[in-house]
Structures are given as structure tokens and as C-alpha cells.
């Protein structure tokens, strides 16, 4: 077997309508040196990450930071997104939610999907693009070349009717985006020791995703750790009350 061949194993656990998929990796070549970065904090753009800031929802000054490393082709990552969005809605400004790229090499279109999300981010549509890429996985996971690009352009057009389609298409090949994806991957692999996606960390503490047999269980595990960190910071715990 060629030395650069990477084996990807997707394990899908389904129970009562819940779905967890944990995509494991063996190795990945990445030259980026990330040892001087604090992966538990929000990382600003510089030359090493293509001058692209961490993608953050919520309060960037929050005492509690939830970091997710994800692969846009990973079914478990797609399944987790609605509950992560719900946590974001429930905890408001008390928590910052970070999303970092961790494309598994065995997923042929994961990097292209990450590039599409980053390209949309240049026009202010990062989170919308992430959500629509997940929601429309069946349209692009088996495509290649121009057909794949055209699918992403179409998805971008749907979420950004006034967006610049030609800029979006061109930016997908922007070298800064490739640098950003490589940086995120190296940070996850070499600093946070990510071995599977999705991977979650709350103030640097890893969530044992493999122990969650449903998406609801995963949400509860993340929420428990969020509340623990909020309590340490002397802040109100629990989801905000509906008015």
C-alpha cells in the first residue's frame, strides 16, 4: 500500500432516531507548525492560517469556549449541527462556539466543501454555507471537478442571492483558504490530538463523543461540561428561560 494512503473508517451508531458518526483517521501530512498557538482560545488571522480568523458564534469574550473540529462530509458532524445550534441559542452570550476544519483525507470532497464554506465566509455567509452544505450532502459528496464546484456555486446562490458568484467561485481556489484548512487540521491533530470527527472541547476539555449513542446524549454531555465551566466562572448555568 502506498505510504500516503489514508484509511478512513466511518462508524455510525443509530438509536431511537439518534445518529453519531465518528470518522477516524490514521495519518495526514501537514507542514504547519502550530505549537505556539493556544487551541483553547479564539485564534486571530495571521500568515500561518491564511489571515482568516477562527469562525465564532456567540460572544467572543465569553468565559466558556466550545471548539468543534469537523469534516463537512462526515454524517455525524452533519447530524450534530442542529443540537450545537440549539446550544448556541440556549446559552447566548455566555458561550462562544468555534468551528474548525478537520477534513478527513478518505473523504474525497471534504476539502472542497471546507473551501466552499471559507469562500462564502469572505462574503459574510460562512455559517449559512456550513449549514446548507450539511443539509445538501447528497448533491455533492459523489461529484468531482466542475460539477462539484457548480453544486457549491448553486448552494451559495441560494443562501446569498445578492452575493458575487464569480468571486465565490474564484475564492474557492484562494491559497489563503488552503492555508487556513491546513492550519485548522494541524491544530486539531498536533495540539488537541483529534483522532475522529466530530470532536468537541469545552475550555480545552475533550468530550467523549464515542460514549454518546444518540445525538441527544452528545448534547447533554456538552451541556454538562458547559455548565461546569460556567459555574467555575461564577456565571449562571443552564439554558436561558424562554420569555
Amino acid at each position: 500500500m502506498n505510504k500516503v494512503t489514508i484509511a478512513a473508517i466511518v462508524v455510525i451508531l443509530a438509536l431511537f432516531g439518534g445518529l453519531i458518526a465518528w470518522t477516524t483517521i490514521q495519518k495526514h501530512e501537514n507542514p504547519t507548525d502550530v505549537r505556539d498557538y493556544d487551541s483553547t482560545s479564539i485564534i486571530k488571522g495571521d500568515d500561518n492560517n491564511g489571515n482568516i480568523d477562527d469562525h465564532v458564534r456567540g460572544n467572543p469574550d465569553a468565559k466558556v469556549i466550545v471548539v468543534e473540529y469537523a469534516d463537512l462530509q462526515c454524517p455525524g458532524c452533519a447530524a450534530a449541527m442542529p443540537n450545537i445550534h440549539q446550544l448556541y441559542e440556549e446559552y447566548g452570550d455566555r458561550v462562544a462556539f468555534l468551528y474548525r476544519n478537520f477534513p478527513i483525507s478518505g473523504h474525497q470532497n471534504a476539502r472542497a466543501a471546507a473551501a466552499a464554506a471559507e469562500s462564502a465566509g469572505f462574503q459574510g455567509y460562512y455559517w449559512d454555507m456550513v449549514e446548507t452544505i450539511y443539509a445538501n450532502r447528497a448533491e455533492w459528496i459523489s461529484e468531482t471537478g466542475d460539477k462539484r464546484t457548480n453544486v457549491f456555486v448553486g448552494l451559495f446562490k441560494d443562501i446569498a442571492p445578492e452575493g458575487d458568484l464569480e468571486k465565490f467561485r474564484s475564492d474557492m481556489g484562494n491559497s489563503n483558504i488552503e492555508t487556513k484548512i491546513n492550519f485548522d487540521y494541524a491544530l486539531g491533530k498536533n495540539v488537541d490530538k483529534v483522532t475522529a470527527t466530530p470532536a468537541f472541547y469545552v475550555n480545552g476539555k475533550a468530550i467523549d463523543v464515542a460514549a454518546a449513542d444518540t445525538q441527544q446524549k452528545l448534547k447533554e454531555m456538552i451541556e454538562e461540561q458547559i455548565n461546569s465551566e460556567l459555574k467555575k466562572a461564577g456565571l449562571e448555568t443552564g439554558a436561558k428561560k424562554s420569555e
Side-chain angles (χ1 to χ4, degrees):
M1 182 178 291
N2 190 289
K3 291 184 179 180
V4 297
T5 300
I6 301 175
I9 303 172
V10 178
V11 180
I12 302 177
L13 302 173
L15 180 63
F16 303 118
L19 174 67
I20 298 289
W22 220 36
T23 305
T24 63
I25 64 166
Q26 289 184 329
K27 57 183 178 179
H28 189 286
E29 291 185 359
N30 196 306
T32 307
D33 184 354
V34 294
R35 290 173 296 180
D36 294 333
Y37 291 86
D38 178 7
S39 66
T40 68
S41 66
I42 297 170
I43 298 174
K44 296 296 184 180
D46 63 18
D47 289 344
N48 288 328
N49 58 22
N51 291 296
I52 300 174
D53 294 348
D54 265 335
H55 298 289
V56 183
R57 288 194 293 185
N59 177 11
D61 296 320
K63 300 295 185 183
V64 179
I65 296 177
V66 177
V67 175
E68 176 183 3
Y69 290 92
D71 174 324
L72 287 168
Q73 193 170 332
C74 165
C77 298
M81 177 58 78
N83 277 335
I84 300 306
H85 182 76
Q86 186 178 355
L87 286 171
Y88 160 67
E89 293 287 341
E90 291 175 349
Y91 281 86
D93 287 344
R94 289 173 292 164
V95 180
F97 291 84
L98 274 63
Y99 189 98
R100 291 179 179 148
N101 302 292
F102 203 83
I104 306 302
S105 294
H107 287 171
Q108 64 176 2
N109 287 333
R111 279 185 165 262
E118 294 290 348
S119 180
F122 284 174
Q123 298 188 51
Y125 293 96
Y126 181 80
W127 294 107
D128 300 281
M129 194 64 181
V130 166
E131 290 182 4
T132 197
I133 284 174
Y134 275 142
N136 295 280
R137 287 176 65 254
E139 294 185 25
W140 56 266
I141 58 174
S142 298
E143 297 293 354
T144 59
D146 289 341
K147 288 184 178 180
R148 179 181 61 200
T149 299
N150 289 337
V151 171
F152 290 136
V153 171
L155 294 177
F156 179 70
K157 183 179 180 180
D158 289 342
I159 64 168
E162 304 301 320
D164 187 333
L165 299 183
E166 289 308 312
K167 174 175 168 53
F168 170 80
R169 184 187 294 271
S170 175
D171 283 341
M172 281 187 64
N174 189 310
S175 62
N176 284 339
I177 285 179
E178 181 180 7
T179 299
K180 166 64 172 171
I181 295 170
N182 287 341
F183 177 88
D184 283 0
Y185 185 95
L187 196 69
K189 179 176 183 289
N190 299 323
V191 177
D192 285 324
K193 309 304 180 184
V194 174
T195 59
T197 59
F200 295 95
Y201 299 81
V202 181
N203 281 1
K205 297 178 177 64
I207 301 298
D208 185 7
V209 178
D213 53 7
T214 67
Q215 285 296 331
Q216 180 59 33
K217 177 61 176 178
L218 176 59
K219 178 177 181 287
E220 291 170 359
M221 291 168 66
I222 296 172
E223 192 166 19
E224 181 180 0
Q225 193 59 50
I226 288 174
N227 286 331
S228 175
E229 295 299 313
L230 286 172
K231 185 175 181 180
K232 289 179 184 178
L235 298 173
E236 180 184 3
T237 62
K240 63 183 179 182
K241 303 289 192 301
S242 300
E243 296 182 359

